[in-house]
Amino acid sequence: MASGQVPGPRVAPARLPEGYNDTGEQVTLGWAEVNERLEQSKHFWFSTADDSSSPHARPLWGAWLDNTLYADGGVHITRWGRDLLANPHTQVHLESATEVVIVDGDFTMTNDLTEAAFGRVRASYLRRYESYQPESAEGLFMVKPRHVLAWA
């Protein structure tokens, strides 16, 4: 493993209901492929729920780095942000319905970025969004995955 690279989670096949997959074949995606999808994604769809369990989904910009999603913006002024402050459990999924990645994770307003890691987050934003990158690490929140589902 390269220096500074964070190991990925254990990969296991999903338990599919009978008849769910018409080919009968199931190929487990390796973490490297799943991680690459997350690293290259431009939009991350956040799913939250308010205190009455009403669902809410919004796309956000962010950067996947070292098995963590870092993002910024409107936490205190948006519905999704207020939902996350009240209930830090969230699902984040990518745009594709054929190259699926769903991250069950936990939101926190604080982050664990070193100065070097923050530089990598800024570079990741710039690659994705061309003219935008976060100004400081203090404005970034993070989502740490508990469980990841992925398939093609």
Side-chain angles (χ1 to χ4, degrees):
M1 178 176 308
S3 174
Q5 200 174 22
V6 177
R10 181 180 65 81
V11 176
R15 289 181 224 115
L16 300 175
E18 186 68 34
Y20 191 78
N21 176 349
D22 36 337
T23 68
E25 296 177 33
Q26 185 175 355
V27 177
T28 302
L29 298 176
W31 179 248
E33 184 176 353
V34 174
N35 193 56
E36 182 178 358
R37 289 181 191 178
L38 287 159
E39 286 175 342
Q40 293 177 358
S41 182
K42 187 168 184 175
H43 301 105
F44 299 90
W45 280 84
F46 277 67
S47 296
T48 64
D50 66 15
D51 57 0
S52 68
S53 300
S54 179
H56 189 72
R58 287 295 181 269
L60 297 176
W61 286 0
W64 181 264
L65 179 73
D66 298 334
N67 298 333
T68 302
L69 178 61
Y70 297 95
D72 63 343
V75 172
H76 296 286
I77 60 171
T78 61
R79 154 103 191 260
W80 62 264
R82 290 187 301 272
D83 288 353
L84 289 172
L85 290 169
N87 177 0
H89 303 301
T90 186
Q91 278 194 331
V92 178
H93 67 86
L94 306 185
E95 292 178 290
S96 178
T98 57
E99 301 289 325
V100 177
V101 176
I102 302 169
V103 176
D104 286 325
D106 295 310
F107 157 88
T108 180
M109 280 296 296
T110 59
N111 67 63
D112 57 4
L113 291 167
T114 63
E115 189 175 327
F118 176 60
R120 291 171 51 218
V121 166
R122 283 177 52 92
S124 179
Y125 263 78
L126 199 54
R127 274 192 311 277
R128 284 178 170 86
Y129 311 116
E130 298 175 12
S131 63
Y132 177 75
Q133 55 187 324
E135 293 183 22
S136 74
E138 288 78 39
L140 291 170
F141 62 84
M142 66 183 186
V143 174
K144 291 276 190 183
R146 284 180 282 119
H147 184 78
V148 179
L149 295 171
W151 64 86

